[in-house]
Amino acid sequence: MTDIEKPSNFIQQVISADLDAGRVETVITRFPPEPNGYLHIGHAKSICLNFGLAKQFGGACNLRFDDTNPEKEDDEYVQAIIADVRWLGFDWADEPKFASDYFGQLYSWAQYLIGEGKAYICELNAEQMREYRGTLTEKGKNSPYRERPAEESLALLEQMKIGAIDEGAMTLRAKIDMASPNINMRDPVIYRIKKMAHHRTGEAWNIYPSYDFAHGQEDAIEGVTHSVCTLEFAANRPLYEWFTSNLPLPTTPHQYEFGRLNLNYTLTSKRKLKQLIDENHVDGWDDPRMPTISGLRRRGVTAAAVRDFCDSLAVAKTDGVVDIAQFEHFIRDDLNDTARRAMCVLNPLKITLSNYEQGKEEMLTAAGHPNRDDLPQRELPFGRDIYIDKNDFSEDTTLSRKKFKRLVIGEYVRLRGAYVIRADEVISDNSGEIVEIVGSYVPDTVGENPPEGIRPRGVIHWVSATNAIDCDLYLYENLFTVPAPDAGEGSFLDHLNPQSLQVVTNCKAELGLANAVAGEQYQFEREGYYCLDAKYSSSDKLVFNRTIALR
RNA sequence: UGGGGCGUCGCCAAGUGGUUAAGGCACCGGGUUUUGAUCCCGGUAUCGGAGGUUCGAAUCCUCCCGCCCCAGCCA
């Protein structure tokens, strides 16, 4: 079944070829995070790739937790990862898998290797091992324990397993080649002692397999055909293959590497993201400024936008830095289609329409979306007193119509979805601050063009002064002020953007927004895309996060 | 300096000896528009460098330059 359009990236080409040649019947991929942190946008690329490949070729993709190191792992991360992958819109064949489910099998394969004379218990400590390993340019030398009899290694491994040996005193090493130009092949450690409870296996084990000894075998157990990982694992591939060819595995998976996603003005390093949280630079893994899936979700970015962005990324072996603008494009692109429109005035300036009957109020209706009539219409109460944004008025009457398409004394402007109005007079306080505008409305201009001679400068948003809800807006900008916070001397923390969060209080929003719920996006017309923040909102104060501004 | 990988427009990239060297983002013009949004038109590269093979090279060969990864009992 090669009715696939046309393989566009090298991995698709490999899969197509494997299918055509009959080397593979059903494509099985996997997304294998270690549960030691939350997923971020970089993982999203891998998720979209792995699940996408499986779907495209009619196969399946497993969600598998690579939990071989209890030190940094936790069930909290397992649950968060599951939720994030689901939110992104992907599903896996039956239950999530865990490396820890295979600890027993892995252990017997270790015994097998010892029996074959291909692994041994080494008593070199960490420092000695480093010395024996050699350097990039110098060969390593054999461990004095390298020729230990299999029976002895087998017995010691058992001792390690039951906790009879001190941490750090011994390791199990694969016997490969201390002179290999690839350092990963110089008798790598495949089991180490960690007397530590594991979030799933508890106290059952005192030893844990290393990544290299686990990954390929996990793939083989699950029948993974194409094990797709990032470039930094390329040097581990020979080792991956050494295990798949020296162990009696049920299948022979193959590893392929692609370039991980790097985005400018942010970070995609779990360690550093965790540091931002631990040092309270942000509000947690789901802080809307974080590049984490949970942060993006809370920010108001949709799963579709994340997927579209990831699909727009090339799968190649180059390691470039994608411009955050490319991501923002897909965020706006999706939100423009899906977000309901609403009006919210950030910096309210009252304007009284002197010719509008005192006490009168009428209900206007506006479209929920300019080109979608499946979204409900909005009801907008209109009266004599309304709010417009301070930025939409200028005392400078010399501003050209082209340069300033807003309100100016003596001129007209269209209130979006309502009347054409004119500004007549400015009322200022003692300090010269404008506190109010007195204006007038042009009757019969709702949905109608104004009479000849009246040319509105533009269209501005507004909200009824007597029928509005109060809210606070959280405006976000890049977390860092430089494109590559990671690069150069010094800490990435030196580049934190002090203005990454700006809180605007006492904003006035249209009535309908009182019913907003988290997870539902709005476009505050002429301002940007916003969504309710469940964490910061309370019954008496609504808080909206700005997902992204309009262009 | 050993091994592995990579260098095509400002950014991400298609391209697998014969194409006017795709496309997206960004940017710059112009049009539509009751969001300065959206939408719609139009514009912008000779392929890291130098040699060579060939009727013909971004695509093959040679040398050079640059960047990334590997010396955790992390993944």
Side-chain angles (χ1 to χ4, degrees):
Chain A
M1 74 166 281
T2 324
D3 54 308
I4 316 300
E5 307 72 54
K6 182 206 304 180
S8 56
N9 67 53
F10 76 97
I11 295 176
Q12 292 171 320
Q13 288 176 19
V14 166
I15 295 178
S16 278
D18 285 344
L19 253 18
D20 289 346
R23 283 188 292 271
V24 168
E25 254 177 54
T26 304
V27 174
I28 308 289
T29 57
R30 101 271 92 111
F31 171 62
E34 182 189 16
N36 66 345
Y38 281 57
L39 261 25
H40 55 63
I41 185 72
H43 294 108
K45 178 181 179 185
S46 178
I47 292 169
C48 291
L49 210 213
N50 279 296
F51 282 93
L53 248 19
K55 182 177 182 189
Q56 181 181 171
F57 290 97
C61 180
N62 291 342
L63 169 62
R64 180 177 76 227
F65 291 94
D66 221 348
D67 55 350
T68 56
N69 182 1
E71 234 162 278
K72 301 178 291 180
E73 299 162 3
D74 195 280
D75 184 61
E76 174 199 347
Y77 300 129
V78 170
Q79 301 313 323
I81 288 169
I82 287 175
D84 287 349
V85 177
R86 281 236 168 82
W87 177 76
L88 276 174
F90 297 103
D91 206 358
W92 42 89
D94 48 70
E95 294 302 296
K97 321 268 190 201
F98 292 85
S100 51
D101 288 339
Y102 314 135
F103 281 173
Q105 174 65 266
L106 257 9
Y107 185 76
S108 51
W109 276 331
Q111 291 173 312
Y112 172 87
L113 226 42
I114 293 173
E116 293 287 294
K118 291 173 179 169
Y120 61 96
I121 296 294
C122 181
E123 292 178 48
L124 252 28
N125 63 33
E127 192 186 331
Q128 294 169 319
M129 202 176 294
R130 195 179 319 122
E131 286 165 13
Y132 275 73
R133 186 157 37 227
T135 68
L136 293 178
T137 52
E138 302 163 73
K139 295 175 178 178
K141 56 186 181 192
N142 288 169
S143 160
Y145 304 96
R146 203 167 197 259
E147 300 310 324
R148 192 194 296 273
E151 305 68 45
E152 209 177 297
S153 284
L154 247 14
L156 287 172
L157 180 62
E158 186 64 20
Q159 292 296 299
M160 281 166 60
K161 180 191 171 194
I162 64 176
I165 313 287
D166 287 342
E167 243 176 71
M170 294 181 187
T171 57
L172 178 66
R173 297 226 258 162
K175 190 192 287 185
I176 306 180
D177 178 10
M178 291 305 292
S180 172
N182 180 347
I183 295 184
N184 293 293
M185 300 298 272
R186 320 240 261 231
D187 289 13
V189 168
I190 61 177
Y191 260 101
R192 65 301 206 195
I193 301 170
K194 281 183 191 289
K195 298 189 176 179
M196 181 174 294
H198 184 281
H199 63 101
R200 293 189 78 241
T201 60
E203 312 279 344
W205 296 84
N206 291 292
I207 58 174
Y208 294 91
S210 66
Y211 163 82
D212 289 300
F213 189 67
H215 210 91
Q217 288 85 310
E218 295 161 14
D219 287 339
I221 291 170
E222 296 174 8
V224 168
T225 52
H226 302 267
S227 187
V228 181
C229 62
T230 44
L231 246 29
E232 64 266 30
F233 291 98
N236 296 59
R237 184 170 5 104
L239 186 49
Y240 180 104
E241 288 167 350
W242 192 85
F243 289 122
T244 56
S245 55
N246 282 286
L247 252 17
L249 304 180
T251 65
T252 305
H254 293 282
Q255 173 182 309
Y256 303 92
E257 312 89 22
F258 70 96
R260 68 185 298 157
L261 167 66
N262 294 301
L263 266 186
N264 58 19
Y265 294 101
T266 188
L267 294 171
T268 42
S269 151
K270 256 193 232 176
R271 203 200 97 231
K272 287 171 180 160
L273 293 179
K274 188 164 193 306
Q275 193 181 339
L276 289 174
I277 295 160
D278 293 342
E279 298 178 6
N280 292 310
H281 295 112
V282 296
D283 191 34
W285 287 102
D286 69 347
D287 185 293
R289 290 167 293 183
M290 292 283 271
T292 51
I293 303 299
S294 51
L296 295 171
R297 177 169 59 227
R298 187 170 155 204
R299 171 92 169 241
V301 173
T302 60
V306 176
R307 273 187 257 113
D308 290 346
F309 169 61
C310 289
D311 290 343
S312 82
L313 266 14
V315 177
K317 289 192 174 243
T318 42
D319 41 9
V321 181
V322 176
D323 194 332
I324 191 80
Q326 186 164 337
F327 185 27
E328 294 175 338
H329 163 78
F330 286 98
I331 295 173
R332 291 195 184 93
D333 198 42
D334 182 55
L335 256 16
N336 180 48
D337 288 343
T338 56
R340 295 164 58 173
R341 307 290 126 120
M343 289 192 283
C344 179
V345 175
L346 305 220
N347 311 292
L349 171 61
K350 190 172 174 185
I351 162 160
T352 300
L353 303 171
S354 57
N355 62 340
Y356 194 90
E357 189 181 329
Q358 191 111 34
K360 178 181 172 186
E361 189 169 90
E362 60 188 306
M363 197 60 89
L364 306 177
T365 59
H369 188 107
N371 33 39
R372 282 185 56 179
D373 38 24
D374 57 312
L375 292 176
Q377 290 207 314
R378 301 178 275 148
E379 302 234 297
L380 303 175
F382 187 90
R384 181 182 166 95
D385 297 329
I386 61 171
Y387 288 119
I388 64 168
D389 198 284
K390 283 193 174 79
N391 296 137
D392 285 337
F393 175 78
S394 175
E395 289 186 281
D396 183 355
T397 51
T398 66
L399 259 16
S400 73
R401 294 178 66 88
K402 178 145 179 123
K403 201 173 168 213
F404 193 75
K405 306 164 102 161
R406 311 176 188 190
L407 196 56
V408 127
I409 290 294
E411 296 203 43
Y412 297 88
V413 91
R414 155 83 64 185
L415 292 181
R416 170 130 252 242
Y419 295 96
V420 170
I421 64 165
R422 186 185 64 208
D424 299 319
E425 185 188 342
V426 176
I427 298 177
S428 304
D429 62 13
N430 307 329
S431 62
E433 178 91 7
I434 301 174
V435 293
E436 189 183 331
I437 308 260
V438 178
S440 46
Y441 84 110
V442 182
D444 306 318
T445 50
V446 177
E448 299 293 337
N449 285 132
E452 199 77 10
I454 293 181
R455 290 174 59 220
R457 276 189 167 231
V459 180
I460 65 173
H461 57 105
W462 59 279
V463 76
S464 161
T466 48
N467 275 300
I469 60 168
D470 295 307
C471 60
D472 289 356
L473 266 32
Y474 281 36
L475 313 187
Y476 302 101
E477 281 173 22
N478 292 336
L479 239 191
F480 297 96
T481 54
V482 297
D486 256 0
E489 308 297 299
S491 166
F492 65 98
L493 296 172
D494 298 339
H495 306 296
L496 272 170
N497 178 4
Q499 314 200 95
S500 59
L501 167 61
Q502 187 196 339
V503 178
V504 183
T505 57
N506 303 314
C507 303
K508 299 288 184 181
E510 69 178 61
L511 245 31
L513 255 14
N515 304 316
V517 294
E520 205 167 272
Q521 282 75 20
Y522 291 90
Q523 183 198 92
F524 289 176
E525 292 184 297
R526 302 212 310 134
E527 291 290 351
Y529 296 99
Y530 288 79
C531 69
L532 188 77
D533 187 291
K535 199 161 166 179
Y536 292 153
S537 285
S538 59
S539 52
D540 57 322
K541 189 180 71 180
L542 295 181
V543 171
F544 289 93
N545 289 321
R546 183 176 70 188
T547 307
I548 191 165
L550 250 30
R551 294 206 65 200

